[in-house]
Amino acid sequence: EKSRAVFYARRQPLLHFHLTREGERRADVRGRDGWTSLDLPTPITATSCRALRRLVEARYREREPARRSAARR
């Protein structure tokens, strides 16, 4: 974690959190095509936690092929 509430994978931002003016939380996850937002209820439910984890894992995996092909060049 280089910045507060920003998490990196291989030196690239992957996940960060926002607190809206209304006091709601939101997570942004970066994939190959940009950022995807996910609203996070307070307190976070098990369902929302699983949805966030699945989204982070999917976006992390979709970034892998680009990195591997670039390394082969």
Side-chain angles (χ1 to χ4, degrees):
E1 183 178 351
K2 295 180 182 179
S3 302
R4 188 173 186 201
V6 180
F7 298 88
Y8 293 78
R10 295 186 176 88
R11 298 183 183 170
Q12 297 294 317
L14 175 65
L15 170 67
H16 67 263
F17 297 93
H18 296 276
L19 189 59
T20 66
R21 290 184 183 141
E22 296 80 26
E24 297 172 352
R25 295 181 301 171
R26 189 179 78 223
D28 291 335
V29 183
R30 187 175 184 180
R32 190 176 19 209
D33 298 328
W35 294 92
T36 303
S37 294
L38 182 67
D39 292 326
L40 301 174
T42 305
I44 191 163
T45 62
T47 302
S48 294
C49 189
R50 282 191 301 272
L52 176 60
R53 188 179 70 235
R54 281 193 304 266
L55 180 60
V56 169
E57 289 172 352
R59 295 301 176 259
Y60 181 79
R61 279 192 308 269
E62 78 180 18
R63 293 168 62 168
E64 283 296 303
R67 190 179 82 76
R68 286 185 186 152
S69 64
R72 291 180 184 157
R73 292 182 191 163

